[in-house]
Amino acid sequence: MMMKINLRALCLPLCALLCLTACKKDKQLGSKEVALTLRLENPQGLAAVSLSGVKITFREINSGKETVSSNVSGNTLSVSLAEGAYDISLDGNISYQLEGKTITGKTGALKQGLVLTGAQHTESLKLFLGQAGGGFVIQEIFFTGTLSPEGKQYLGDKYFKIYNNSGETLYADGLVIAQSAFQTATKEKYTPDVMSSAVAVESVIMIPGSGKQYPVLPGKYIVVSEDAINHKTNNANSIDLSKADFEFFYEDSDDIDNPQVPNMETVYSKFNPNNRGYNSYVLARFEKGVNDFLSNYKYDFSYDFVNDGVSFPVESNEYKIPNSWILDAVNLSVQSEFQWIVTDPALDMGWTFCAKVSDDAARYGKSVRRRVLAIAVDGREILKDTNNSTNDFEAGLRPSLMK
């Protein structure tokens, strides 16, 4: 008989038990060397592909030790690694022909949890093209909240900054922010696995508007806040968000509605950012003509939940946003508990954080913020967007709106 369990109700302490079991298993592996042959698969549909400046990082999951190699020859790399479990990431430059034109850009790849044992191993690594920049990106996420002067957790002052990283005016109407259904500190084998085509989400909110109601100039940003009030009147350690551009408000909660600030539209479920950083976030636009998201993009899935060595089959359901709709993605985690990213690596192949451990009190009053890549001729900041949050974001900074 199949059990039906609410995925969001599962307790994370069990993850620590599972992780500990996995670590013990991996540590039983010897110190033998494995001759790994890595074959790089070019993106489909491209001709005359040439790679340069390729850097491949092998991170042993349990020890954290990293081995970096650039010795790629003819789309093949050979390297000797100690037995263990590895996350493999690739960054590099790519040149190719498409529709008679020669194009240059960035390429990347990611493979998580590759277990290496024995004398030899051959593995393929699919390359993807770096997403073209120059649109809306997530500039900053303040998800940790604050502590009062008495050391008590304060709620309601979280926010997102959405930045126009292009050189033209864009419109925020219809922009979607969604929180991932899966968590980066809990790795399960979900069936069906839709990650290569969509992101599973547990809450979705949308900026209202008629299409051109909310312009955002080049190099400017909008703030989407939890409660658009001056939180400093309640907590001296908090932030004045009374001038936010939008807020997410729920009548059946303790939220305070600022009538001067437009409310986000709730597409699916209550939006409540995790204050440790176990979830990831995507910025998206629904495809033109999609008027009934809840009817057409439901995601039914199953997995085996393991507790004390006993496996329980679980059925659950959430919703999914196709990868083709996603403008930007940011994977978050807790530094000591990270297990995997919960987006396709073509959207984001890295992750960032504020908390070093689950109960890290130092995380409060910290945000993650996208790095500045360059200054344009017109003086606006161009933010770094390589679809790798590890490199694109600064972790654990004082929030930019905190005065």
Side-chain angles (χ1 to χ4, degrees), residues 19-326:
C19 181
L20 179 61
T21 302
C23 291
K24 287 181 178 178
K25 181 178 179 181
D26 286 336
K27 287 181 179 179
Q28 291 174 357
L29 298 175
S31 58
K32 296 179 181 178
E33 294 287 311
V34 180
L36 173 65
T37 299
L38 202 59
R39 303 191 188 282
L40 308 184
E41 297 183 7
N42 293 328
Q44 293 183 350
L46 308 181
V49 176
S50 176
L51 303 176
S52 62
V54 173
K55 182 180 76 171
I56 304 177
T57 302
F58 303 87
R59 181 182 179 275
E60 208 289 312
I61 296 172
N62 297 292
S63 67
K65 179 181 178 181
E66 292 188 351
T67 301
V68 179
S69 179
S70 302
N71 191 25
V72 176
S73 177
N75 276 49
T76 300
L77 178 138
S78 297
V79 63
S80 181
L81 298 170
E83 287 187 330
Y86 288 85
D87 286 341
I88 304 173
S89 59
L90 178 148
D91 289 292
N93 303 313
I94 189 170
S95 173
Y96 56 93
Q97 288 186 358
L98 183 64
E99 298 178 348
K101 297 180 180 180
T102 299
I103 301 172
T104 58
K106 293 289 185 179
T107 187
L110 178 68
K111 185 177 289 287
Q112 300 182 100
L114 175 64
V115 178
L116 295 181
T117 59
Q120 296 180 332
H121 186 93
T122 299
E123 191 74 22
S124 61
L125 192 62
K126 292 183 178 180
L127 302 178
F128 56 80
L129 297 177
Q131 198 171 5
F136 280 118
V137 296
I138 298 172
Q139 181 181 16
E140 183 180 21
I141 308 177
F142 176 51
F143 59 91
T144 60
T146 52
L147 292 178
S148 70
E150 296 76 30
K152 295 182 178 180
Q153 182 175 279
Y154 179 81
L155 303 176
D157 53 4
K158 302 169 186 175
Y159 69 79
F160 291 73
K161 282 176 71 172
I162 309 300
Y163 185 82
N164 180 357
N165 209 26
S166 76
E168 58 185 281
T169 298
L170 300 176
Y171 294 88
D173 308 48
L175 280 179
V176 164
I177 303 175
Q179 179 168 279
S180 68
F182 304 151
Q183 297 190 329
T184 54
T186 309
K187 187 175 183 180
E188 304 287 357
K189 187 176 182 180
Y190 299 106
T191 304
D193 181 359
V194 299
M195 204 172 291
S196 63
S197 61
V199 176
V201 293
E202 68 175 13
S203 54
V204 183
I205 54 177
M206 178 188 291
I207 293 177
S210 58
K212 291 191 174 182
Q213 191 172 342
Y214 299 109
V216 183
L217 298 176
K220 300 300 181 180
Y221 62 84
I222 57 173
V223 175
V224 179
S225 67
E226 188 171 9
D227 291 332
I229 64 172
N230 183 2
H231 294 275
K232 294 180 72 68
T233 60
N234 301 319
N235 174 15
N237 295 333
S238 191
I239 308 171
D240 182 359
L241 292 175
S242 60
K243 296 181 180 179
D245 298 282
F246 303 94
E247 66 177 351
F248 34 105
F249 170 73
Y250 301 96
E251 292 184 355
D252 60 347
S253 65
D254 295 330
D255 285 359
I256 301 173
D257 188 17
N258 183 343
Q260 304 301 316
V261 177
N263 292 332
M264 297 287 285
E265 296 179 3
T266 299
V267 178
Y268 171 54
S269 193
K270 184 176 179 180
F271 193 78
N272 184 24
N274 183 289
N275 72 7
R276 284 177 168 81
Y278 288 124
N279 295 87
S280 300
Y281 297 91
V282 297
L283 181 69
R285 280 191 190 278
F286 289 169
E287 190 175 64
K288 188 176 181 180
V290 174
N291 300 315
D292 195 349
F293 174 77
L294 296 183
S295 294
N296 298 305
Y297 292 92
K298 190 174 181 180
Y299 174 36
D300 298 318
F301 58 93
S302 62
Y303 63 99
D304 290 331
F305 177 67
V306 180
N307 183 19
D308 290 334
V310 180
S311 179
F312 299 93
V314 177
E315 287 184 337
S316 191
N317 56 75
E318 294 287 0
Y319 283 83
K320 59 184 179 181
I321 296 180
N323 291 345
S324 59
W325 299 1
I326 294 175

